[in-house]
């Protein structure tokens, strides 16, 4: 278990504030994307080595805030909460948004 | 309406199914875009592919048009369906085929 980096920590704080999630899992997938051209170009723009981390994330959120929202609306809400990260260090974000009822 | 907005409007209304993606359907340049191509091919729906890497104007324009910050983006009959996660989930539940059928999009088997 590695310590989350500053980007992941900021994402967690913002998502907790916005959604009061019952469950929040954030996984850094950056190493799996180190090989492709887009990831390399993105890392170069940030002055980092490709695959050095904190560019590609998977996030699973279970929150009552998603009740009554379609999938598009849920993801838009998450994107809005993480607008700074998406405009900056985060190149890709894979999202799973569930209500507590859906999560079982 | 700006030029790029009108251009995108034309693309999503003149084609039944449009995928804004990185690379082309033949050669996706990103795993998420490639996933959506494979799903559309698998269910046998014809679609227009728009390579956002070929035009910075479209790359930014489609994000503004959809109010959606990531690529790929799938449109059916002018309506925004979602990105890779949503398309994959809709495929797995069978909802994607239902939506296509409801909107009258033919599937070539």
């Amino acid at each position: 278990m590695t310590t989350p980096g500053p980007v992941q920590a900021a994402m967690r704080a913002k998502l907790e504030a916005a959604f009061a999630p019952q469950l929040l899992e954030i996984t850094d997938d950056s190493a799996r994307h180190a090989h492709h051209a887009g990831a390399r170009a993105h890392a170069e723009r940030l002055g980092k080595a490709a695959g050095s981390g904190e560019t590609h994330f998977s996030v699973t959120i279970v929150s009552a805030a998603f009740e009554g929202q379609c999938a598009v609306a849920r993801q838009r809400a998450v994107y809005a909460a993480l607008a700074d990260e998406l405009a900056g260090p985060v190149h890709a974000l894979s999202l799973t948004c569930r209500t507590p009822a859906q999560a079982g | 309406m700006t030029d790029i907005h009108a251009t995108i409007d034309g693309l999503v209304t003149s084609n039944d199914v449009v995928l804004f993606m990185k690379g082309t359907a033949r050669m996706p340049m990103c795993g998420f875009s490639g996933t959506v191509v494979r799903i559309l091919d698998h269910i046998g729906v014809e679609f227009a592919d728009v390579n956002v890497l070929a035009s910075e104007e479209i790359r930014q324009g489609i994000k503004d048009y959809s109010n959606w910050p990531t690529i790929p983006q799938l449109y059916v009959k002018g309506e925004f369906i979602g990105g890779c996660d949503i398309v994959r989930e809709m495929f797995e539940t069978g909802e994607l085929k239902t939506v296509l059928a409801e909107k009258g999009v033919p599937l070539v088997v």
Side-chain angles (χ1 to χ4, degrees), chain B residues 4-16:
Chain B
I4 190 64
H5 191 97
T7 302
I8 292 170
D9 231 29
L11 284 168
V12 301
T13 50
S14 62
N15 298 281
D16 278 356

Side-chain angles (χ1 to χ4, degrees), chain B residues 16-78:
Chain B
D16 278 356
V17 183
V18 187
L19 180 63
F20 294 86
M21 62 178 288
K22 292 183 178 175
T24 62
R26 278 180 164 277
M27 194 176 286
M29 300 296 284
C30 154
F32 302 102
S33 290
T35 296
V36 177
V37 168
R38 281 198 304 279
I39 288 171
L40 296 176
D41 282 347
H42 182 81
I43 61 177
V45 64
E46 285 187 18
F47 62 98
D49 55 337
V50 178
N51 180 6
V52 303
L53 299 179
S55 161
E56 184 56 38
E57 208 181 9
I58 289 201
R59 185 175 184 171
Q60 186 55 47
I62 190 61
K63 293 178 182 179
D64 298 336
Y65 183 89
S66 309
N67 182 26
W68 195 263
T70 56
I71 307 292
Q73 298 187 15
L74 182 68
Y75 275 81
V76 177
K77 297 263 185 181

